Each structure stands twice: as structure tokens, then as C-alpha cells.
Amino acid sequence: MFQLYGLLGEQINDDTLAVCRTTYQKFSLPFMINEVAMKLKLNENDTLLELGCGTGTLLFPLSLKVKSVVGIDHIGMIDRLRKSPIMDNCTLLDGNWLEDKFVLPPVNKILIYSVIHYMKSMEEAFVFISKALDSLKPGGMMLIGDIPNMDKKQRFNTSDIGRRFQEQWNKERQKFRTEEEIKRDEYLSGVTKRNDENSLTYGQDEEVLSFDFTDEMIAQTILYIRKLGNEAYLLPQDKSLPFGYTRDDLLIIKG
Ligand SMILES: C[S@@+](CC[C@H](N)C(=O)[O-])C[C@H]1O[C@@H](n2cnc3c(N)ncnc32)[C@H](O)[C@@H]1O
């Protein structure tokens, strides 16, 4: 999905659509920014690293709250961000966090938001997380946010409130849908294939582009991080967030 995001960064004008959210979800973005700042306890002494910063939805507003921020993503996304004026405390680096070498001073806060499920497997997600932990100072905090959890989604979708929410959401989403969103969805449905049975999304040559976590996989991730000598906690999302009912957040404190 990393490569596909590079293309979306180059070709989709709207910042929300280029990171695969819907136009309707724009209303939720201020809540998302506040919640991330609160969960990471961001303050003016912090050095923040955002892995997979996309179109800067979080990176730019959060740069106002911290001492310095580094955003890393595909060159298609980073070149897009470089075209707009940026704050002096903001550094942009292009590359693949899984594969490339970055020379970075350790930071005391890391954000990985709506990114970790775009790995090919849990093993790859663990490599991504462990490399991130290497860049975090002892006592530093890391938020792995917006993790899709298919068990949580299933519980929600089969509840009364979930069914009502879904009906309302489908209606509202249509109301705000733009031409660019329709074109993006047509493009994505041509180059990706979702298999709801195993909750995997595949690309054209059958490679896995993303996967949903289960309750068990979330628990395994907490165990993995704790076994490395860190603290890890599962946090709920505020219901006003783009996927507040069906996603989980993990907060890590480096040991
Ligand atoms: C859904 S977007 C989220 C963007 C941003 N964090 C937000 O919440 O608005 C996922 C982003 O993760 C980036 N990403 C995925 N895999 C990555 C990797 N291996 N290294 C760096 N960035 C990655 C994608 O390029 C994409 O921009």
C-alpha cells in the first residue's frame, strides 16, 4: 500500500481523500488532532516523529504544539508537503520506514497513525514497531493509533446502535461525496481487492496491501511490546473520530 499511497499523494488533490478517508470524515479531523495531542501529552518541549505522515493532517497542526517534528512518508506524499509553506520546526523526510535507513536523533514522542495495518503481515508490523522503538528515548511515549479491529467492528455492526449508525453513515456519506471521491473509489476498486472473509486487501498481483487486526492480534502486539521491556496500553477512541467505533489505539511508554 506504501506505493499506492505515493500515487495517491501525487494524483489526488484533496488532502483527506489522498489518505483514503471520505469527504464526510473531514468533520472529524479536529477531534482526531485533539485526541492525539491529549493521548501523547504533547507539549512545547517535545521532539515528535510521525511515521507515515501522509498529507500532514496531523503533522502540521501538531507542529504548533511541540518543539520540533519530523514527518516521514513516501516521496509522493513528502514532495506534495514540500510544495506548501511549512513551519520552521518541521522536517520532512522521504522513504520507507521498513526498508530505508534514517539518521535521526532519538525523540521523546512518536506517532504512527492509521499506518500499522498497511503492512503485509503481523511480522512486518512488529519490525516497523521495533524500529520505531529504537528511535524513542527511554520514558518516551509512542501512539500507534487508528488500528482497525475486525472483532470490534463485528460487535459494533451487530449491535442496535451499530445498525442505526451504519444506515445514517451511508446516507450522510453520499450527501458529501465529491466527484474526486467517486473517481478515487473507482480507481481503488480497480487496483485493489478486499476479501472480507480474511479481512485482507490485495493488490493487482495478489500481494497483501493491508490487514485488519483481531482482538487477539491487538493482545499479541501488547505482549510483543511488553516483552521488549516497555509498557503498552490499549485505549479506546473517541466516538467522533473517523472510525471511532471500530478502531483501537495503543499507547507505549519506552522502558
Ligand atoms: C492512511 S494514511 C495516514 C496518514 C496520516 N498518518 C493521517 O492519519 O492522516 C497512511 C500513510 O502511511 C504511509 N506508510 C505506509 N507504510 C509506510 C512505510 N513503510 N513507511 C513510511 N510510511 C508508510 C502511507 O504512505 C500513507 O501516507
Side-chain angles (χ1 to χ4, degrees), residues 1-6 9 15-16 18-21 29 32 36 50-59 72-75 77 93-100 102 111-119 124 128 145-146 247:
M1 195 69 185
F2 183 63
Q3 297 306 335
L4 199 46
Y5 268 117
D15 283 345
T16 307
V19 288
C20 287
R21 295 193 177 102
L29 302 182
M32 193 172 95
V36 166
E50 188 184 0
L51 303 174
C53 59
T55 52
T57 308
L58 291 160
L59 186 82
I72 293 181
D73 209 304
H74 192 283
I75 191 160
M77 285 291 176
L93 300 175
D94 58 86
N96 182 334
W97 183 252
L98 267 179
E99 293 171 6
D100 297 331
F102 296 89
L111 177 61
I112 301 169
Y113 202 86
S114 214
V115 172
I116 203 65
H117 55 290
Y118 290 117
M119 305 297 122
E124 215 173 82
F128 194 99
D146 216 31
R247 295 198 175 187

Side-chain angles (χ1 to χ4, degrees), residues 75-199:
I75 191 160
M77 285 291 176
I78 295 296
D79 273 352
R80 172 195 186 104
L81 300 184
R82 285 183 180 135
K83 285 186 191 126
S84 64
I86 59 165
M87 300 275 292
D88 288 344
N89 67 346
C90 194
T91 305
L92 300 169
L93 300 175
D94 58 86
N96 182 334
W97 183 252
L98 267 179
E99 293 171 6
D100 297 331
K101 256 209 163 119
F102 296 89
V103 184
L104 293 169
V107 293
N108 72 325
K109 302 279 164 83
I110 295 183
L111 177 61
I112 301 169
Y113 202 86
S114 214
V115 172
I116 203 65
H117 55 290
Y118 290 117
M119 305 297 122
K120 288 188 175 50
S121 61
M122 279 289 276
E123 288 70 32
E124 215 173 82
F126 286 172
V127 172
F128 194 99
I129 293 169
S130 117
K131 194 169 168 191
L133 281 165
D134 289 343
S135 286
L136 191 61
K137 287 183 183 167
M141 295 167 86
M142 175 155 96
L143 186 70
I144 307 176
D146 216 31
I147 309 170
N149 178 340
M150 65 170 116
D151 289 331
K152 192 169 178 171
K153 188 172 181 179
Q154 213 255 341
R155 285 191 293 276
F156 179 67
N157 285 349
T158 52
S159 69
D160 281 346
I161 170 168
R163 276 190 283 264
R164 281 200 300 273
F165 175 90
Q166 203 57 44
E167 265 173 44
Q168 179 76 6
W169 199 86
N170 288 339
K171 249 196 308 189
E172 296 294 346
R173 187 198 167 172
Q174 289 309 324
K175 205 157 71 187
F176 293 97
R177 222 154 171 245
T178 59
E179 238 168 71
E180 191 173 38
E181 184 174 342
I182 295 167
K183 273 202 202 133
R184 180 206 61 180
D185 291 348
E186 279 169 4
Y187 170 69
L188 284 177
S189 66
V191 293
T192 65
K193 214 166 41 196
R194 169 91 181 162
N195 182 338
D196 277 319
E197 263 162 48
N198 57 13
S199 283

Side-chain angles (χ1 to χ4, degrees), residues 199-217:
S199 283
L200 293 174
T201 301
Y202 299 90
Q204 275 170 321
D205 46 6
E206 300 298 315
E207 88 276 29
V208 174
L209 297 181
S210 74
F211 66 95
D212 289 355
F213 282 62
T214 58
D215 286 336
E216 203 175 327
M217 286 151 81

